[in-house]
PDB file of all heavy atoms in Angstrom:
ATOM      1  N   ASN N 136     -39.191  32.044   7.196  1.00  0.00           N
ATOM      2  CA  ASN N 136     -39.229  32.391   5.755  1.00  0.00           C
ATOM      3  C   ASN N 136     -37.857  32.125   5.145  1.00  0.00           C
ATOM      4  O   ASN N 136     -36.953  32.885   5.519  1.00  0.00           O
ATOM      5  CB  ASN N 136     -39.778  33.770   5.470  1.00  0.00           C
ATOM      6  CG  ASN N 136     -39.901  34.181   4.046  1.00  0.00           C
ATOM      7  OD1 ASN N 136     -39.011  33.861   3.290  1.00  0.00           O
ATOM      8  ND2 ASN N 136     -41.039  34.634   3.665  1.00  0.00           N
ATOM      9  N   ILE N 280     -16.772  -8.601  35.499  1.00  0.00           N
ATOM     10  CA  ILE N 280     -16.820  -7.981  36.764  1.00  0.00           C
ATOM     11  C   ILE N 280     -15.454  -7.915  37.385  1.00  0.00           C
ATOM     12  O   ILE N 280     -14.613  -8.881  37.429  1.00  0.00           O
ATOM     13  CB  ILE N 280     -17.884  -8.835  37.641  1.00  0.00           C
ATOM     14  CG1 ILE N 280     -19.259  -8.856  37.107  1.00  0.00           C
ATOM     15  CG2 ILE N 280     -17.761  -8.362  39.160  1.00  0.00           C
ATOM     16  CD1 ILE N 280     -20.155  -9.744  37.766  1.00  0.00           C
ATOM     17  N   ARG N 386      -8.505  14.384  27.266  1.00  0.00           N
ATOM     18  CA  ARG N 386      -8.066  15.840  27.641  1.00  0.00           C
ATOM     19  C   ARG N 386      -9.388  16.536  27.840  1.00  0.00           C
ATOM     20  O   ARG N 386      -9.307  17.428  28.772  1.00  0.00           O
ATOM     21  CB  ARG N 386      -7.332  16.469  26.391  1.00  0.00           C
ATOM     22  CG  ARG N 386      -6.981  17.811  26.630  1.00  0.00           C
ATOM     23  CD  ARG N 386      -6.396  18.487  25.301  1.00  0.00           C
ATOM     24  NE  ARG N 386      -5.160  17.740  24.796  1.00  0.00           N
ATOM     25  CZ  ARG N 386      -4.486  18.210  23.790  1.00  0.00           C
ATOM     26  NH1 ARG N 386      -4.780  19.311  23.146  1.00  0.00           N
ATOM     27  NH2 ARG N 386      -3.462  17.523  23.391  1.00  0.00           N
ATOM     28  N   GLN N 576       2.730  43.379 -22.363  1.00  0.00           N
ATOM     29  CA  GLN N 576       3.020  42.799 -23.809  1.00  0.00           C
ATOM     30  C   GLN N 576       1.949  43.246 -24.798  1.00  0.00           C
ATOM     31  O   GLN N 576       2.196  43.403 -25.841  1.00  0.00           O
ATOM     32  CB  GLN N 576       3.185  41.285 -23.764  1.00  0.00           C
ATOM     33  CG  GLN N 576       4.501  40.870 -22.936  1.00  0.00           C
ATOM     34  CD  GLN N 576       4.783  39.417 -23.139  1.00  0.00           C
ATOM     35  OE1 GLN N 576       4.619  38.907 -24.278  1.00  0.00           O
ATOM     36  NE2 GLN N 576       5.013  38.722 -22.110  1.00  0.00           N
TER      37      GLN N 576
END
Side-chain angles (χ1 to χ4, degrees):
N136 186 307
I280 295 174
R386 181 187 299 185
Q576 291 188 45

